[in-house]
Every structure is written in structure tokens, then in C-alpha cells.
Amino acid sequence: MPGTHVSHGDRHRDRSHNTFESLGLPEDDLTPLPPSPIQSPIVDPIIDRKDEEAENEQAPAKKYAPGLWRRYLYRVHQYSTYSFSAFLVLHFSTAVVVPTLTSSLNAGDKSIILARVVYQSQVFEPLILGSLAAHVLSGITLRLHRILRDKKWYSKRSRLSRVSFTGVLLTPLALAHILVCRVAPVAVDGDNAIISLRYISRGADRLPQGTLLAFYTSFIALSAYHVSYGWAKWLRVRKSRMKYVRGIAAVACITGVLALRVIWKDADQVPIFVAAKYDEMYDFVESLFLSRQSLL
């Protein structure tokens, strides 16, 4: 009725009565209970906090630590390519592109000497070699971890991707190139001031025909593929644009082969006294392998 005040308790009782009738339950058989707060167990805040801290110290060590070190190692593997890729662009431009465009060893030698001032300085050379070592070692560690993980979880061995496979093939070739063109000159002559493209052509005369040509052709082709497709992976290039990556790798391979043709064409134009020094350096490399074979 108008002006009649209905309390909240009355409305609640009406709703409860209607609910009982709809369910067919006798309201008189039910014992009403007074509302009361839910009692929570008393917890000692000091003990609870200590237990929580202990769990937080143990749980991340078991659950997150392997993922963290793998994530950081992956970043090392990725970021180590930056400085070394900058060196590759500079070295490829001077040792491959310049002699290809000019069809002249002299132009290639001059450009190498100018670039050597940069990448063989006391600042940049340790950075370049350190980046290469970090990239190779982190890649090997990540691959071994993946092999052990897949063997434990899936009882099978994971397959190498094409980028990883070319990296495996490229590693010994890169180490051999560093040994011949950097370590041997320093060990024999104290520096590599006389090293030029003619040093490579001199090696072609010493080895069986086609050996050094096959070595550097493989070296250039694997490097072009590994670097191009590796950067495409870092940059997450879409499939629709991978044709440009393939084009870059193909152009690098063709340019490298043309540069090798220029080097081999002028292989006999090495001064006698310089050729004698080159022979000493190659003898040093051969002695390392011969001494290793005698130990075996």
C-alpha cells in the first residue's frame, strides 16, 4: 500500500518463501541460521612471510633458471653478429667487390690496406675476434643443450636448420682462413703488412690445382648463405620477401667467384722476394698440420 514501508528483512523473507514454494520444500522444517562472518585460520605473519620467501628462493631456481641462461646465451649469439657483420661488409667490399669491378689486383690490394687500418687496430680486432668466438661458442652450447633436451623429453634428436648446418660447415673454414691469413704472417714476419690478394694466389701455386679455388668458393658460398639467411631470421623477414634474401646471397656468391677469377689470372705476378716470404708462411701452416699428424 502507499505509504507502507517494507523493510529489507521482509523482502528477504518473501523471496525465501517464494523460493521454498517453487522447490516444493516445507519452510517449517528448515532451521534458520543467523548470519555470521567466515572465520579464517589465524596465521602468524612472521612465519608465513618466511615460508613465502623460502618458496620464492627455491621456485625460480628450479623453474626459471634454465630458461634465463638460455635466453641470455641466445642474445649473446644474436648480438655478437653485429660487430662481425660490420667487419664482413668492409672486408667483402675491399677483397671481393673492388677487384671484381676493377678487374685489377692492385686496386684490391690498395683497398685492403686502407681497410686493414680499421679492422686490425688495437680496438677493433679484439672486438671482431671476440664476437666471432662468442657467436661460435654460444651456438655450439645452444645446440648441445637442445640435443640433450630433445633426447630427454622426446627420445629423439632435433634436426639442424639450414642456417645452423651452414654455420657448422663454415666454422672450420673460417678458422683455417684466420690461421693462414692472420696467425701465420704474425708468427713468421711479426705482422701481416705484406699480405695481399697475391698471398692467396701464391697459395694456389703451392697446392694441387683447384684445391684453393674449391676452398674459397665453398667459403664464400657458405658465408653468403649463412649471413644472409641468419640476418633474415634475426629481422624476421616475411616469406614473401625471402626472394630478396636469396638474391643477396646469390649476388655475393657470383661476385666472390668473379673475384677469385681475377686473383687466379694474375697469380704469377708476385715479386720474388715477396713470394719467398709467402712460402715461409705457408710452410709454417704446413708444419703445424704435419706435426699434428706425427703426434697422431
Side-chain angles (χ1 to χ4, degrees), residues 3-23:
T4 304
H5 176 71
V6 180
S7 65
H8 176 73
D10 295 335
R11 287 197 299 269
H12 179 71
R13 281 192 295 270
D14 292 340
R15 285 197 300 268
S16 300
H17 179 73
N18 295 333
T19 303
F20 295 144
E21 288 183 351
S22 63
L23 296 176

Side-chain angles (χ1 to χ4, degrees), residues 25 30 66 106 145 149 165 170 199 206 239 246 265:
L25 298 175
L30 299 176
N106 292 328
H145 175 266
R149 182 198 62 185
F165 183 67
L170 189 58
Y199 179 61
R206 293 174 55 91
K239 282 188 176 182
R246 289 191 291 269
K265 183 181 67 174

Side-chain angles (χ1 to χ4, degrees), residues 87 90-99 104-120 177 181 192-200 263:
F87 158 74
L90 181 60
H91 190 53
F92 186 83
S93 300
T94 55
V96 176
V97 176
V98 172
S104 171
L105 278 182
N106 292 328
D109 290 340
K110 291 178 181 179
S111 62
I112 288 177
I113 292 173
L114 292 175
R116 189 185 296 160
V117 176
V118 178
Y119 60 72
Q120 287 188 359
H177 180 68
C181 296
N192 61 344
I194 64 172
I195 299 302
S196 64
L197 295 176
R198 288 181 173 81
Y199 179 61
I200 304 300
I263 294 172

Side-chain angles (χ1 to χ4, degrees), residues 3-279:
T4 304
H5 176 71
V6 180
S7 65
H8 176 73
D10 295 335
R11 287 197 299 269
H12 179 71
R13 281 192 295 270
D14 292 340
R15 285 197 300 268
S16 300
H17 179 73
N18 295 333
T19 303
F20 295 144
E21 288 183 351
S22 63
L23 296 176
L25 298 175
E27 185 178 0
D28 297 336
D29 294 342
L30 299 176
T31 304
L33 296 175
S36 60
I38 299 175
Q39 296 293 332
S40 301
I42 299 175
V43 180
D44 188 341
I46 298 178
I47 297 177
D48 185 64
R49 189 161 54 248
K50 288 182 178 179
D51 293 341
E52 185 178 1
E53 290 175 357
E55 291 180 0
N56 292 335
E57 289 178 358
Q58 295 176 2
K62 295 180 180 179
K63 186 175 181 180
Y64 299 107
L68 282 176
W69 74 259
R70 190 170 59 246
R71 186 184 307 170
Y72 289 135
L73 200 61
Y74 184 82
R75 290 178 179 176
V76 170
H77 189 64
Q78 178 181 0
Y79 296 146
S80 60
T81 60
Y82 290 7
S83 58
F84 194 76
S85 296
F87 158 74
L88 284 180
V89 171
L90 181 60
H91 190 53
F92 186 83
S93 300
T94 55
V96 176
V97 176
V98 172
T100 301
L101 295 179
T102 61
S103 298
S104 171
L105 278 182
N106 292 328
D109 290 340
K110 291 178 181 179
S111 62
I112 288 177
I113 292 173
L114 292 175
R116 189 185 296 160
V117 176
V118 178
Y119 60 72
Q120 287 188 359
S121 63
Q122 294 181 353
V123 175
F124 289 105
E125 187 172 27
L127 177 62
I128 294 169
L129 295 178
S131 300
L132 176 62
H135 186 72
V136 172
L137 294 177
S138 60
I140 293 174
T141 305
L142 289 170
R143 171 53 51 183
L144 291 176
H145 175 266
R146 184 173 299 176
I147 291 173
L148 296 176
R149 182 198 62 185
D150 291 348
K151 185 177 180 181
K152 180 180 179 180
W153 290 0
Y154 310 111
S155 300
K156 66 178 183 179
R157 184 174 179 177
S158 60
R159 297 177 58 184
L160 279 173
S161 65
R162 293 180 181 178
V163 175
S164 299
F165 183 67
T166 53
V168 172
L169 297 178
L170 189 58
T171 300
L173 300 182
L175 294 177
H177 180 68
I178 294 173
L179 174 63
V180 172
C181 296
R182 186 61 180 140
V183 177
V186 173
V188 173
D189 207 32
D191 57 28
N192 61 344
I194 64 172
I195 299 302
S196 64
L197 295 176
R198 288 181 173 81
Y199 179 61
I200 304 300
S201 62
R202 182 62 180 176
D205 291 339
R206 293 174 55 91
L207 296 174
Q209 187 175 6
T211 302
L212 207 63
L213 179 63
F215 173 86
Y216 276 104
T217 302
S218 303
F219 186 38
I220 293 172
L222 290 173
S223 300
Y225 185 94
H226 185 74
V227 174
S228 300
Y229 281 79
W231 270 105
K233 179 181 178 182
W234 296 146
L235 299 176
R236 298 179 181 180
V237 177
R238 298 178 181 178
K239 282 188 176 182
S240 59
R241 298 187 176 183
M242 286 302 294
K243 58 184 179 181
Y244 300 111
V245 178
R246 289 191 291 269
I248 292 173
V251 169
C253 290
I254 295 173
T255 307
V257 173
L258 294 176
L260 290 174
R261 179 177 174 272
V262 174
I263 294 172
W264 260 251
K265 183 181 67 174
D266 297 335
D268 56 346
Q269 298 181 6
V270 182
I272 297 176
F273 69 96
V274 177
K277 276 292 183 181
Y278 289 168
D279 289 338

